[in-house]
């Protein structure tokens, strides 16, 4: 397969995806897409030629990873007033929960999410771009016949299925969300051509309760499911050590042709739904590691998706902007290396502060030196090292 290292990356985006909204009090709020897009626009990092629109996924594309009965349920429950029969059926498909309740227009907007991730995959696999980013995607919890964890359709699984069916290559899926990437793992648990690597807070204390290091795949795919469950209150150094070492071992063992990555940014200390204590440093370094890996081992082929992230004001716009800046090799990254206290654009802060319920950050990176120390740091670090060693043992 031809390498594609000299063309520009693409940014798959349309405001239509902000209609993915369960209700006004739900923590999943796609306004974070607008905040990120505006931040990138204000620093001149989004040329018009880089932006590609998503499209609706076809029925065939949805059915690669979801059952016909489930897709029909999503369609029927998307009506403004679903009939009584389908409202009674909603629990069977996981679409009546506080996390994932059905809502009007659900099928259409979530089909756009799936289509957007397939567009990103096709841009890279066709050779049109070396990397592609679809921040509206990364909804990794949906199962074959069940919605879960704010996810109706699983766009990550669908993008991988598209790559596998059309191009027949080996896919490494890397999930850095604080919650285990269960839906994608179970989609490919018996497929030896897809390796799933998820680093997340341990399921002992956090949804979805899976992702133990012992979950390794089955049959011919044994060893292609890799999990790194971290202890609550894990900080940057331990997170990055665990991730970088296991990523390197997985690449050596699996030898992927393309990387598909999910970039939930809810491992940050400010995130309200989890317990890790990472800073923006992690979200600067994750993309750098993945881009380097893609260039060295996959001919540059890298598809990145969004994911979790529920502090939409202080965390998500910075984290996702740093992802695109790395993907596009933007000069601001060099400035950030020289000046770790590089300020965010004042115009962005002034534009959004009136709407934000919290003070917006002044700088790209966090003032970690001013944060209170975490108790039991050494114990947490040692426990994570033991987990990392077990995960790597299965890759040697």
């Amino acid at each position: 397969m031809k390498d594609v290292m000299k063309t520009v990356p693409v940014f798959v985006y349309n405001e239509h995806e902000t209609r993915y909204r369960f209700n006004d009090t739900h923590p999943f709020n796609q306004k974070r897409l607008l905040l990120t897009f505006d931040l990138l626009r204000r620093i001149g990092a989004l040329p018009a030629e880089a932006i590609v629109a998503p499209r609706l996924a076809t029925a065939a594309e949805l059915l690669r990873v979801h059952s016909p009965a489930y897709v029909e349920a999503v369609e029927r429950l998307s009506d403004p007033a679903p009939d009584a029969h389908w409202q009674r059926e909603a629990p069977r498909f996981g679409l009546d929960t506080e996390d994932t309740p059905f809502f009007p227009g659900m099928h259409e907007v979530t089909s756009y999410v799936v289509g957007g991730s397939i567009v990103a995959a096709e841009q890279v696999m066709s050779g049109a771009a070396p990397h592609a980013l679809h921040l509206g995607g990364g909804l990794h919890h949906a199962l074959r016949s069940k919605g879960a964890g704010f996810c109706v359709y699983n766009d990550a699984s669908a993008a991988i299925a598209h790559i596998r069916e059309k191009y027949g290559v080996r896919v490494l899926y890397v999930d850095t969300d604080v919650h285990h990437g269960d839906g994608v793992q179970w989609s490919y648990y018996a497929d030896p051509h897809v390796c799933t690597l998820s680093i997340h807070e341990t399921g002992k204390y956090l949804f979805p309760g899976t992702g133990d290091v012992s979950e390794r795949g089955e049959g011919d795919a044994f060893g292609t499911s890799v999990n790194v469950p971290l202890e609550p209150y894990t900080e940057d150094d331990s997170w990055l050590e665990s991730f970088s070492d296991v990523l390197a071992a997985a690449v050596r063992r699996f030898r992927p042709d393309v990387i598909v990555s999910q970039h939930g940014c809810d491992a940050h200390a400010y995130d309200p739904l989890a317990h890790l204590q990472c800073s923006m440093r992690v979200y600067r370094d994750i993309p750098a590691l993945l881009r380097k890996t893609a260039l060295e081992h996959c001919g540059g082929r890298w598809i990145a998706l969004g994911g979790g992230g529920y502090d939409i004001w202080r965390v998500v716009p910075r984290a996702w902007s740093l992802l695109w800046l790395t993907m596009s090799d933007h000069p601001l990254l060099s400035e950030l290396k020289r000046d770790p206290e590089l300020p965010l654009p004042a115009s962005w802060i002034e534009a959004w502060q009136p709407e934000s319920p919290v003070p917006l950050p002044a700088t790209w990176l966090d003032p970690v030196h001013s944060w209170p120390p975490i108790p039991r740091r050494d114990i947490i670090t040692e426990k994570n090292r033991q987990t990392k060693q077990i995960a790597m043992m299965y890759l040697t």
Side-chain angles (χ1 to χ4, degrees), residues 6 13 29 45 50 75 92 99 107 116 149 156 197 204 212 245 279 290 294 318 379:
K6 294 184 178 180
Y13 175 78
N29 187 346
E75 291 175 329
R92 182 158 70 97
D99 281 355
H107 170 72
L197 190 170
K204 292 177 182 177
D212 189 77
D245 288 354
S279 79
L290 289 172
R318 291 187 295 163
I379 296 172

Side-chain angles (χ1 to χ4, degrees), residues 170-182:
R170 295 166 66 82
V171 181
L172 172 62
Y173 172 75
V174 179
D175 192 313
T176 60
D177 198 287
V178 79
H179 303 91
H180 176 230
D182 58 333

Side-chain angles (χ1 to χ4, degrees), residues 84-309:
H85 166 75
W86 285 105
Q87 291 191 48
R88 289 193 299 271
E89 286 290 280
R92 182 158 70 97
F93 297 102
L95 296 173
D96 70 327
T97 64
E98 184 177 348
D99 281 355
T100 317
F102 62 86
F103 62 93
M106 171 176 64
H107 170 72
E108 181 186 21
V109 70
T110 53
S111 294
Y112 262 106
V113 172
V114 174
S117 293
I118 292 173
V119 165
E122 184 60 27
Q123 285 281 320
V124 170
M125 298 310 299
S126 69
H131 319 315
L133 175 59
H134 178 220
L135 291 174
L139 305 180
H140 58 165
H141 292 307
L143 304 171
R144 176 169 172 77
S145 296
K146 188 174 183 180
F150 314 161
C151 305
V152 177
Y153 290 140
N154 195 318
D155 65 286
S157 289
I160 294 169
H162 176 81
I163 293 169
R164 287 288 308 133
E165 182 173 305
K166 186 170 181 180
Y167 295 95
V169 299
R170 295 166 66 82
V171 181
L172 172 62
Y173 172 75
V174 179
D175 192 313
T176 60
D177 198 287
V178 79
H179 303 91
H180 176 230
D182 58 333
V184 185
Q185 173 179 290
W186 302 129
S187 291
Y188 297 101
Y189 205 60
D191 187 340
H193 302 100
V194 178
C195 177
T196 61
L197 190 170
S198 179
I199 180 169
H200 47 267
E201 183 180 333
T202 172
K204 292 177 182 177
Y205 312 105
L206 192 69
F207 176 89
T210 54
D212 189 77
V213 71
S214 63
E215 294 168 19
R216 291 176 280 166
E218 63 185 15
D220 291 342
F222 186 79
T224 61
S225 175
V226 184
N227 287 292
V228 189
L230 300 176
E231 293 297 295
Y233 305 105
T234 293
E235 297 168 281
D236 292 349
D237 287 344
S238 183
W239 197 104
L240 287 166
E241 175 189 321
S242 300
F243 178 65
S244 59
D245 288 354
V246 175
L247 174 64
V251 169
R252 286 194 301 268
R253 166 75 182 273
F254 186 68
R255 295 182 300 165
D257 299 299
V258 59
I259 294 172
V260 177
S261 56
Q262 194 267 20
H263 293 263
C265 45
D266 38 8
H268 194 281
Y270 293 162
D271 195 90
L273 301 188
H275 315 99
L276 298 194
Q277 292 292 306
C278 295
S279 79
M280 204 53 60
R281 175 185 156 208
V282 160
Y283 299 109
R284 177 197 65 187
D285 291 357
I286 291 170
L289 282 166
L290 289 172
R291 184 170 187 266
K292 181 175 184 289
T293 301
L295 290 170
E296 291 179 353
H297 299 278
C298 304
R301 288 177 290 274
W302 174 29
I303 299 128
L305 310 173

Side-chain angles (χ1 to χ4, degrees), residues 25-75:
T25 61
H26 197 283
F28 186 88
N29 187 346
Q30 287 292 58
K31 188 167 190 171
R32 57 196 185 151
L33 294 174
L34 300 178
L35 289 159
T36 304
F37 186 85
D38 188 54
L39 178 55
L40 288 168
R41 184 182 61 81
R42 288 177 187 273
I43 62 172
L46 268 181
E49 60 270 21
I51 301 172
V52 175
R55 61 165 175 81
L56 284 168
T58 66
E61 289 167 341
L62 294 173
L63 292 171
R64 284 171 175 157
V65 295
H66 293 294
S67 69
Y70 180 68
V71 173
E72 182 182 11
V74 173
E75 291 175 329

Side-chain angles (χ1 to χ4, degrees), residues 349-361:
I349 297 171
E350 291 166 4
W352 294 103
Q353 186 60 72
E355 295 188 42
S356 175
V358 293
L360 294 176

